[in-house]
Amino acid sequence: MPPFRVLVVDDDPDILTILNDNLILDGYEALTAATGKEALARFEEAQPDVLVLDLMLPDMDGLQVCRSIRRASQVPIILLTAKDGVSDKVLGLESGADDYLVKPFDYLELAARIKARLRRGGAYRKLSAVTRVGAWELLPQRREVAVAGRTVRLTKKEFD
């Protein structure tokens, strides 16, 4: 089975590097973005299984990114941010996030939260093997269809 995809969005290049390297070591496919616009584009193209999102981005608020993604997907979203006030946490969770982790953080805790979200993500992602029929491949874990190795873009309803 292909590895789970984790998209990390943060404007701090050190955090992106550390998380990218650790996620790869843990067997994930790690994707990164440094801005909100880049995050939305990467999300659309890669359809990650989990999103780790900073709230303070240079071009747009992380809450805007969260709300935009939540309108289109039920992917688990973990906010990873320096904002530690109760009202910040409440606003983040009410904006569609599933979890909230305050910086500085320990990678082991983030990794455990990612695993927990993937375990509980049954409604979002059913784990099963790739189904192949001739040149067709059905990848339910990524909600993708490929024909002769090329991904076919489908809406959620078309895939269902």
Side-chain angles (χ1 to χ4, degrees):
M1 176 174 40
F4 287 102
R5 290 180 181 163
V6 179
L7 174 58
V8 179
V9 183
D10 201 299
D11 61 337
D12 183 331
D14 293 332
I15 289 178
L16 287 180
T17 300
I18 290 167
L19 291 181
N20 182 70
D21 294 350
N22 279 291
L23 288 166
I24 290 170
L25 285 172
D26 282 348
Y28 296 104
E29 181 180 340
L31 309 164
T32 60
T35 68
K37 289 179 184 174
E38 184 182 1
L40 294 173
R42 296 290 314 258
F43 182 85
E44 181 65 31
E45 76 185 27
Q47 294 297 302
D49 300 297
V50 175
L51 176 65
V52 178
L53 176 63
D54 185 14
L55 288 181
M56 296 181 284
L57 299 171
D59 61 340
M60 64 191 300
D61 187 271
L63 292 175
Q64 291 173 294
V65 175
C66 182
R67 288 183 195 113
S68 178
I69 288 173
R70 187 53 73 226
R71 282 191 294 270
S73 172
Q74 288 302 306
V75 65
I77 299 173
I78 301 171
L79 296 179
L80 181 63
T81 181
K83 293 185 172 190
D84 63 354
V86 172
S87 61
D88 295 315
K89 293 175 187 178
V90 170
L91 184 58
L93 294 168
E94 287 182 348
S95 294
D98 299 290
D99 205 346
Y100 197 105
L101 188 59
V102 177
K103 296 177 185 177
F105 63 96
D106 187 296
Y107 174 74
L108 293 176
E109 182 179 0
L110 176 61
R113 289 171 186 253
I114 290 170
K115 287 178 188 174
R117 290 294 157 201
L118 290 170
R119 264 195 318 272
R120 286 189 220 112
Y124 164 70
R125 173 180 168 151
K126 292 186 171 70
L127 299 177
S128 62
V130 174
T131 302
R132 290 183 179 86
V133 178
W136 289 75
E137 288 184 326
L138 176 66
L139 297 99
Q141 69 278 9
R142 291 193 178 168
R143 299 186 58 79
E144 291 179 359
V145 172
V147 179
R150 299 187 70 172
T151 300
V152 177
R153 287 198 160 273
L154 299 173
T155 65
K156 179 184 180 317
K157 188 168 194 129
E158 289 169 333
F159 182 86
D160 290 344

